[in-house]
Structures are given as structure tokens and as C-alpha cells.
Amino acid sequence: MRAVVCRSYGPPESLVLDDVPEPVPAPGQVLVRVHAAAVNFPDVLFIAGKYQVKIPPPFIPGNEMAGEVISVGEGAPFRKGQRVAGTTFGAFAEQALLDATQAALVPDDADFASAAAFGVTYRTAYHALRTTAAVKQGDWVVVLGAAGGVGLAAVDLAVAMGARVLAAASSPEKLELCRQRGAEAVVDYDREDLKLRIRELTGDAARVVLDPVGGSYAEPALRGLARGGTFVTLGYAAGSIPAIPLNLVMLKDICVRGMEIRTFMADYPDEFVRDIEELTAMFAAGTVRPYIGARFPLAETPAALRYVADRKVLGKVVIDVA
């Protein structure tokens, strides 16, 4: 089968398309013919050797996909031909193994691309909104990087939860997309004073900031929070980890929290089950569907990763495999 392979750490352009052996499902696994795989910013970090957890090359990157079950390992509660989606490692390939515990059936009215693009970013955003920040109906939620994968998922979900969303992004095109997805207010944080505009647009009532971007945007967004607000750090797509003056936290009685999807289930097992059940129901009902801003064939996976690395993406990028 064909697969995208990372032979050594480096930029997206260092990836190669190669023929590799077909995987065989172990007990509790299913083998999936991949129809669509989604690209996430951590994929860029994995191939560069810059993620918190390093995988020694060679390896097949990609951790989010949807497709059709080819064969089933002993004990896995699926059957050949079922449409499934889930998270794994090695998704940028024509076939991939998926642990049954990480797999879910794709709703009849959802296509493979939407199912592949839904998992990681929407789970990250929902855990952050529902559990970490405990967002309530009517709360003002500020989302940084609001047109990116996690950001736009947060906009979609916060709107569905009845919150009021202020979307912060870096271009008129991105902000218009956020408006279309339900954001009540927008701010161009490369051209406007982010702290001032958050205060003005929310009436100094911003209760939550979700930040998957970091860099120079974090501190002004934190300064824009109302007293007693919550700042949730989710990642650093801007390329640098911000340093926050702790006196701001003290003087404004702000809570600064982190949420990392890789460890959330172990840290909050009960909340994880609740959140996944609620999120799965929303997807099955069609309440939320990911926005797919770009699609690439498997052979152009390096270009897809470069697109994400350069922060050009609107919503999610999907690799069409089959």
C-alpha cells in the first residue's frame, strides 16, 4: 500500500510517498481502508521532532481519519464494511489500524471528510469549553486563532452551547468565515488593539479566552478578560510560548488553565465520558459539522502540512486518500 513516510525529522517537504507493507489488525483492532485523513498542527510538530512526545523515524504521520473496515481483529466490536472514524497514528496512508476503543461509526448523513475532520479539534474545543472553562449560556467567549482547526471548532461549539462569541483572527476573510459560523463579534488582532477591542465589544464582560495560538496574542487577550475570568491555553501555533506577568492574574483574579487532549481522559475520566457522549450526539444530530477549507490528494500531503504550518488554513485541511 502507499503511505506518506517521515524518514527523518524535518519540514513537510521532507516527507516521501512510499510503498509499505499492509498492516494486520491485532486483537481489539480494526484495519481500515482510509478514505479521508485530517491534518492537525501537531502533525507538523511530530515530523519536525518538536512535539511533547517524540516518535523515532521512520514513521507514518497523521492521527485522524475515516474510512471503511477491511478486517477485524479478535474481540473488536465491528464488522467488515462498516464506516468508521477515529484517532490513531499512521493515518496518512491507504490503510491504517484503529483501536476499537478509539473508533466510532460514521453517521449515515455524514461524509468521510467531515467525519475525519471532526474528532481531534472538536474534542479539544469541547473539553476546553465544557469542562476546563465551564462555559454557560450567555457567557462571552473569546477565541483566538478563530478560523483555524481548534479555533473554528470552538466557535461552532460555543455558539451551539448558547455562548456569545468574539472571534479573533488575522484577516478579513477569516473573520467573515467566523461571522458565518455564528460569531457575534470579531477582531483582527494583527491590525487592532486586541485588549481594547475585547473590552469594547464585550462590554468588559469577557469570561473566557481560548488560546490555541500563543505568541504575542496571549497577554493582550488575558488583559482583556473581565475580573474573575478564565484563560485556557491550548497550544502555540504562533511558534512561541508566551510568558504571562503573574501580577495580572493576581490583580484581576484570573484563572489560567491548560488543556491537553492527550492526557485529558486520564486526568478527567468522568468528564471525558460525559463530554464525548454529548459531542457525539451533537455530531450525529447534525448540530455541528466541521468546515473544510482545503483538500489535497495523498501525494500532496507535504503541501497540506505546509498549508497548516503557514497558518493559511480556514477550518480543517483534509487528505483525500480513496
Side-chain angles (χ1 to χ4, degrees), residues 233-256:
T233 178
L234 297 172
Y236 311 102
S240 61
I241 299 173
I244 298 295
L246 286 178
N247 64 309
L248 297 177
V249 178
M250 178 186 70
L251 293 173
K252 299 188 70 171
D253 187 26
I254 288 170
C255 176
V256 178

Side-chain angles (χ1 to χ4, degrees), residues 274-319:
R274 178 202 64 192
D275 290 358
I276 292 299
E277 288 177 349
E278 293 174 355
L279 189 58
T280 299
M282 294 170 74
F283 184 64
T287 304
V288 287
R289 285 285 190 271
Y291 178 85
I292 298 171
R295 302 174 77 148
F296 295 80
L298 183 64
E300 295 180 16
T301 297
L305 285 160
R306 173 54 62 194
Y307 199 70
V308 171
D310 290 346
R311 297 174 60 198
K312 295 179 179 178
V313 62
L314 299 178
K316 290 295 292 268
V317 170
V318 167
I319 306 296

Side-chain angles (χ1 to χ4, degrees), residues 13-67:
E13 292 75 16
S14 66
L15 297 174
V16 296
L17 185 65
D18 205 352
D19 289 318
V20 301
E22 295 183 1
V24 177
Q29 292 183 323
V30 294
L31 179 62
V32 178
R33 177 176 291 109
V34 180
H35 284 257
V39 181
N40 296 290
F41 185 73
D43 295 325
V44 178
L45 301 180
F46 270 119
I47 65 172
K50 295 180 179 179
Y51 195 66
Q52 293 97 321
V53 178
K54 289 182 172 57
I55 299 174
F59 62 86
I60 301 170
N63 63 4
E64 189 173 27
M65 56 87 164

